[in-house]
Amino acid sequence: MKQREEMLRDLHRRIAQYEEEKKMKHSKIKSIFSTTKTVGKNEVNTPDEDGYIEVVSGTERIKSSNRMMHIVGTVAACSVLVASIGATGMILNKNEEKRATLSEESFVSTEAPEMTVCKEDVVSTKTPEEVPETPVYKSTDNGTISPFIDFKQIYFEIGCLNNYEYVEYSDATYDNLAVFLNNFNWGEGTDISEDELPDFNNYVGNGYMIDWRKGDVWFYVYVTDDGKAYYYMTKCVPDGNNFYYPISGSVIYDIDYEVFDKGIEDIWNNDLPDTSEYISKAKRMYLTQGEFMNAAVYDKGSSSFEEVVPDNDKTAAALQGFFREDFVGMLQKEKCVEEYYEIPDSTYEVVCYYKTSDTTTRRLTYFINSDGTLSLCEYEINDEGEIPTGCPNYYIDMNEFETVLNDILSGQYDDKYSFDATTTTATTSATETSTVTTVVQENVSAETNESTPYEDDNNMS
Amino acid sequence: MDNGASSYRRFRDNGDVSGFDEIFMEYSDGLMLYLTSIVGNIWTAEELTEETFFLIGTKKPKFKEKCSFKTWLYTIGRNIALNYLKKNAKKPTVPFENAQELISDEEAAEDAYIKKEQQIIVYRAMRKLQPKYQQVLWLIYFEGLSNKEAAKVMKKSVRSTESILYRAKKSLRSQLEMEGVNYETT
C-alpha cells in the first residue's frame, strides 16, 4: 500500500501528464484551424512537415435532382420497406407458433425433477438464424407444487447458507429454480418446536436458504447438508423503534441433500447472464406483489411536491391503470451516472399501494430524480405500524416516463387503461369508476400526510 | 480550512496546488476507508481514492455548495466505486495468497485514521456486516455526517437511510456481542 505522500506525488505526476496531453491536443487542433484559416484567407499553401502541399483544386457542384425522380424514388423505397416489415412480421409470427409448440413439448413429465438441455434446434425445419447460440436449460416440470408455496407464483430468494451475497438471476434461471423447488421431493413434514431449530447464523457446514415474504410474514426454508430441510415463518411485530420477529410454526423434512445440491448447482452453473437493461421478470413480480389498490404521482413544482390530479374521471382511471399495469415495466436496473459531481434533485414521487393480506398494506414510494435515477422505499403497513422492507435503486428513462405521463394526462390513454375487471376495486361503468378513484385519492392524501418520506426529501432538496 | 470548500476553490479558480494537497491530506484516508466498505478491500479502495482525486484534479468539477464539501467528495467517490464494481463484477479483486497482506494494510490504515482503540474494535466488527450497513455506519459514526448528508451520499431517502441505520446498529450490536465486546462502554 502506498504512503499518502507517495500517492499525492503520483497524483501530481498524473495530473501534470494529463495537462500536458491536453495542451498538446489543443495545440494540434489549433494548428489545424490556423492552417485552414490561412489557406482560406490568403490562398497560400505552405508545405507541411512531410513537404507535401495539400491543395483543394476545385469544388464539385451538386445539382439537385429532378423533383419527380425524388418522389418516385421515395415511393419505391417505402414500398420495399413496407414489404420487408410485412415479411419479417410473418416470419416472426410463424416462429412464435413453432416456439410455443416446442416449449410445451419440452415439459415432458418425469417422476423426479431433473435438468434437461432443450436446444431449440431439434426441429429441422428451422433456419440457422432462428437457433440460439447457447443451449437453454430447463428444469422438468411435472406440475407439482411444493408443500410450502407455489414458487412460480411468488418472488423468492435463494442463496448459500450464510452467504449474503445477493445474486440476480436471468429470467430463465429464475423460472428453473421455481420449477425445481416445486418439483423437488420434500417428503412428509413433521412439526417441531422452535427450540429444535438449529442456529442457522452459526451453522457449520453447507446448505441453502430460501426465503420469501407475504405481507408482514417472512417464510424461510433452510436446507442443510445433513439431509434436513427446516421450514418456519416469522411475523414481524413493530414496537416503537424495534421490530420483533417471533417464530410461528416450524416443520422439519427429511430430504436427499445430494439431489437438491446438484439440482441447484446445475441451474446456477447454467445461468446465462441477464443482459437486459430492464429489471427482470422476477423483480417485476416482486414489485407488483399483492393486489393493486391505488397510486398517486407527485410532481415537484416550484418549491414543493404537488399531486398530479387529472382533469376528468376517465383520465384519472387511466393514470391508475398505467401504474397498475405498465409503470414497473419501465424500470431499468440501477445505473451509475457518468456525471460524478452532481447530486440530482427529486422531480417526481410515485406512491403505489398494494393489499398484501387482510391485515397488511404495502406502500412503495418511488423517488424519481431529474437524471432518471430512482430510489424506492418499501414499507409494509399493519395495525401496529410501518415495517421497512427494502430500499433498492433503479433507473427510468425520464423522456419515456414524462411522455407517457403527459399522454395519459392529455387523455390519449383513456381507453387503453380503463380501470376495470381484474381488481376488486375495479368497476366497469364510468360513474362507478369515478367514485372509486375519488376514494382512492383521499386515501393517498391521508397516508402521505401521516407518513413523512416526502417531507424528509423535500427538506433535503 | 473551511471543511475543504475554500481549499478546493483556491485550487480550482486560482490554480493553487496547495489547496488540492490540503483536501487530499484531509479527506483521502476517510474516503479510502469508506470506499473499502463498498468494494470490500482496501487496495481497490486505495486505487479508487486516487481516481477520485485524479478526477477532481483534472476535470475540476464545480462544487455548487448544495451540501458540505465532504458529502460532495464522498458522492463522487461512491459513484466511481459503483462504476468500478459494475465493470469488474465477475473479477476477483484480491488473490487469496495476498489476503494476509491485505489485512495488515487495512489495519495500518485504520490505525492511521481512526486512532482510538475502541473505535477500531467497532470498525472491525462493522467490517463483518453487509456492505450497506458498513457504509451507513461509517458515514454517520466515523465521518460525522448527518443522516441527511449520508442519505445524499448513498442516494437514498432520509427515511430509508434511517431504517438502514437502525438495522445496521442492530447487526453491529449482535456482532459485538458475538465477539464478546461490551458495546455499551464502547
Side-chain angles (χ1 to χ4, degrees):
Chain A
M1 227 176 104
K2 290 180 196 172
Q3 291 293 318
R4 271 201 308 182
E5 288 73 16
E6 191 189 345
M7 202 202 263
L8 188 56
R9 261 201 311 276
D10 279 356
L11 265 169
H12 280 306
R13 186 183 45 74
R14 285 181 63 195
I15 293 170
Q17 197 180 337
Y18 174 88
E19 294 294 342
E20 193 61 34
E21 280 169 9
K22 206 165 88 176
K23 259 186 214 161
M24 278 171 69
K25 230 187 231 172
H26 267 290
S27 63
K28 259 186 188 171
I29 293 167
K30 232 177 167 179
S31 68
I32 291 167
F33 275 111
S34 62
T35 314
T36 321
K37 236 178 172 179
T38 322
V39 171
K41 271 187 176 173
N42 308 328
E43 301 293 329
V44 176
N45 298 324
T46 48
D48 65 6
E49 286 165 9
D50 305 324
Y52 287 100
I53 302 171
E54 286 181 12
V55 180
V56 180
S57 59
T59 51
E60 186 188 353
R61 188 177 163 79
I62 300 165
K63 277 186 185 175
S64 61
S65 63
N66 187 312
R67 195 183 166 82
M68 205 49 212
M69 286 301 284
H70 248 307
I71 295 166
V72 172
T74 313
V75 169
C78 285
S79 56
V80 169
L81 191 67
V82 168
S84 63
I85 290 170
T88 317
M90 226 177 76
I91 290 165
L92 282 174
N93 192 31
K94 207 173 144 192
N95 292 339
E96 196 59 44
E97 282 166 16
K98 274 184 197 166
R99 260 197 209 110
T101 327
L102 274 175
S103 58
E104 274 167 27
E105 279 167 4
S106 69
F107 282 96
V108 182
S109 132
T110 55
E111 291 211 348
E114 58 184 34
M115 300 299 300
T116 19
V117 185
C118 302
K119 209 171 182 179
E120 294 192 356
D121 60 351
V122 283
V123 182
S124 59
T125 50
K126 286 200 166 192
T127 57
E129 298 88 71
E130 297 165 38
V131 180
E133 284 175 10
T134 331
V136 178
Y137 277 76
K138 280 185 184 172
S139 294
T140 309
D141 190 359
N142 54 26
T144 317
I145 291 172
S146 85
F148 323 113
I149 195 154
D150 182 354
F151 283 101
K152 286 194 281 184
Q153 302 296 327
I154 192 110
Y155 176 83
F156 63 92
E157 283 181 9
I158 178 168
C160 288
L161 200 56
N162 295 328
N163 177 2
Y164 297 104
E165 200 172 309
Y166 173 70
V167 183
E168 196 159 341
Y169 305 110
S170 65
D171 286 348
T173 301
Y174 198 82
D175 290 345
N176 279 330
L177 286 167
V179 168
F180 178 82
L181 293 174
N182 266 351
N183 286 275
F184 181 73
N185 183 10
W186 296 97
E188 286 294 316
T190 314
D191 288 347
I192 53 168
S193 71
E194 186 187 331
D195 302 335
E196 291 174 81
L197 287 171
D199 176 6
F200 296 113
N201 290 326
N202 296 306
Y203 184 80
V204 182
N206 295 320
Y208 295 89
M209 187 185 93
I210 308 151
D211 66 293
W212 65 97
R213 182 167 58 83
K214 201 165 181 283
D216 52 359
V217 184
W218 273 253
F219 298 85
Y220 299 90
V221 175
Y222 282 91
V223 175
T224 51
D225 54 4
D226 57 354
K228 305 280 182 209
Y230 299 88
Y231 166 61
Y232 68 90
M233 60 197 89
T234 62
K235 187 179 185 305
C236 180
V237 183
D239 175 22
N241 289 324
N242 296 312
F243 299 93
Y244 297 104
Y245 295 86
I247 292 175
S248 52
S250 37
V251 183
I252 189 170
Y253 295 84
D254 284 316
I255 57 146
D256 186 336
Y257 180 76
E258 274 181 27
V259 173
F260 186 87
D261 184 43
K262 188 180 178 306
I264 297 291
E265 288 298 329
D266 279 350
I267 295 172
W268 282 351
N269 291 338
N270 289 293
D271 182 39
L272 299 174
D274 181 8
T275 49
S276 167
E277 284 193 332
Y278 289 86
I279 59 170
S280 63
K281 190 175 76 181
K283 238 344 161 230
R284 291 201 301 274
M285 191 203 273
Y286 171 72
L287 292 175
T288 53
Q289 213 163 256
E291 187 183 294
F292 179 83
M293 292 165 72
N294 57 68
V297 58
Y298 298 81
D299 185 2
K300 192 179 184 185
S302 52
S303 57
S304 61
F305 281 88
E306 283 163 18
E307 186 176 352
V308 175
V309 183
D311 293 339
N312 60 66
D313 298 336
K314 213 173 172 193
T315 306
L319 189 65
Q320 295 295 314
F322 164 68
F323 284 114
R324 185 190 59 180
E325 305 288 339
D326 288 334
F327 171 67
V328 166
M330 290 173 87
L331 301 184
Q332 299 178 26
K333 290 169 191 163
E334 183 178 9
K335 277 188 186 166
C336 303
V337 282
E338 293 302 325
E339 288 291 315
Y340 300 113
Y341 26 88
E342 287 295 337
I343 299 171
D345 291 327
S346 188
T347 47
Y348 290 99
E349 288 175 11
V350 173
V351 193
C352 297
Y353 288 86
Y354 296 85
K355 187 175 167 59
T356 44
S357 74
D358 290 344
T359 52
T360 54
T361 305
R362 190 160 172 240
R363 186 184 69 224
L364 304 183
T365 310
Y366 299 89
F367 297 92
I368 305 175
N369 297 322
S370 51
D371 63 353
T373 52
L374 184 154
S375 309
L376 167 62
C377 291
E378 308 170 29
Y379 285 87
E380 198 72 44
I381 305 161
N382 65 12
D383 296 339
E384 282 93 31
E386 295 183 351
I387 307 159
T389 50
C391 42
N393 292 329
Y394 299 111
Y395 178 85
I396 194 164
D397 183 328
M398 280 302 272
N399 272 340
E400 196 186 357
F401 175 69
E402 286 185 324
T403 309
V404 172
L405 192 63
N406 290 333
D407 287 351
I408 291 171
L409 294 174
S410 66
Q412 287 184 42
Y413 287 90
D414 283 3
D415 294 327
K416 186 186 173 189
Y417 294 119
S418 51
F419 195 66
D420 60 359
T422 48
T423 64
T424 49
T425 47
T427 46
T428 42
S429 80
T431 345
E432 282 168 334
T433 308
S434 81
T435 321
V436 171
T437 313
T438 316
V439 173
V440 156
Q441 300 289 355
E442 282 167 6
N443 286 346
V444 170
S445 311
E447 281 286 351
T448 51
N449 288 339
E450 276 170 26
S451 53
T452 50
Y454 322 102
E455 291 155 21
D456 286 346
D457 273 41
N458 288 345
N459 292 339
M460 250 171 68
S461 50
Chain B
M1 198 170 79
D2 60 346
N3 298 324
S6 67
S7 305
Y8 181 62
R9 216 176 298 125
R10 265 181 18 237
F11 166 68
R12 187 180 183 274
D13 300 340
N14 310 328
D16 182 352
V17 181
S18 69
F20 179 82
D21 293 356
E22 279 168 20
I23 54 168
F24 179 83
M25 291 310 236
E26 178 73 15
Y27 296 113
S28 59
D29 283 348
L31 179 64
M32 186 163 66
L33 287 171
Y34 168 60
L35 297 183
T36 307
S37 68
I38 300 176
V39 294
N41 80 70
I42 200 136
W43 288 346
T44 311
E46 186 190 27
E47 282 171 27
L48 297 172
T49 304
E50 195 174 312
E51 283 314 306
T52 308
F53 280 97
F54 180 68
L55 186 139
I56 295 274
T58 51
K59 305 276 182 201
K60 296 178 186 160
K62 192 163 192 244
F63 170 54
K64 292 179 183 168
E65 305 194 10
K66 280 184 181 174
C67 52
S68 76
F69 181 78
K70 189 194 255 186
T71 307
W72 179 72
L73 180 71
Y74 277 41
T75 310
I76 298 172
R78 180 179 182 268
N79 284 330
I80 289 177
L82 291 182
N83 261 3
Y84 168 85
L85 287 178
K86 197 178 166 193
K87 284 177 194 156
N88 299 275
K90 302 252 164 169
K91 290 182 198 164
T93 44
V94 182
F96 181 71
E97 58 269 24
N98 292 349
Q100 197 50 47
E101 208 179 323
L102 178 92
I103 291 166
S104 64
D105 274 350
E106 191 166 342
E107 283 173 359
E110 289 162 13
D111 290 342
Y113 189 70
I114 305 175
K115 306 265 188 319
K116 283 184 193 161
E117 188 58 36
Q118 278 183 332
Q119 282 189 335
I120 291 176
I121 294 169
V122 174
Y123 175 78
R124 285 182 190 159
M126 192 185 94
R127 289 283 288 122
K128 291 169 188 159
L129 307 180
Q130 282 187 36
K132 69 177 173 191
Y133 291 170
Q134 290 181 39
Q135 283 180 52
V136 78
L137 290 170
W138 177 262
L139 291 174
I140 290 172
Y141 292 115
F142 287 87
E143 292 296 349
L145 261 57
S146 68
N147 291 3
K148 218 178 258 185
E149 284 177 316
K152 278 204 170 188
V153 175
M154 293 178 72
K155 283 200 179 155
K156 294 196 182 297
S157 70
V158 177
R159 192 154 185 172
S160 70
T161 306
E162 283 168 353
S163 84
I164 298 172
L165 179 63
Y166 167 75
R167 283 168 187 267
K169 282 198 286 187
K170 207 171 155 189
S171 302
L172 181 64
R173 178 183 283 205
S174 326
Q175 186 61 42
L176 287 167
E177 274 174 351
M178 218 164 75
E179 291 178 7
V181 180
N182 185 357
Y183 55 84
E184 274 163 6
T185 56
T186 308

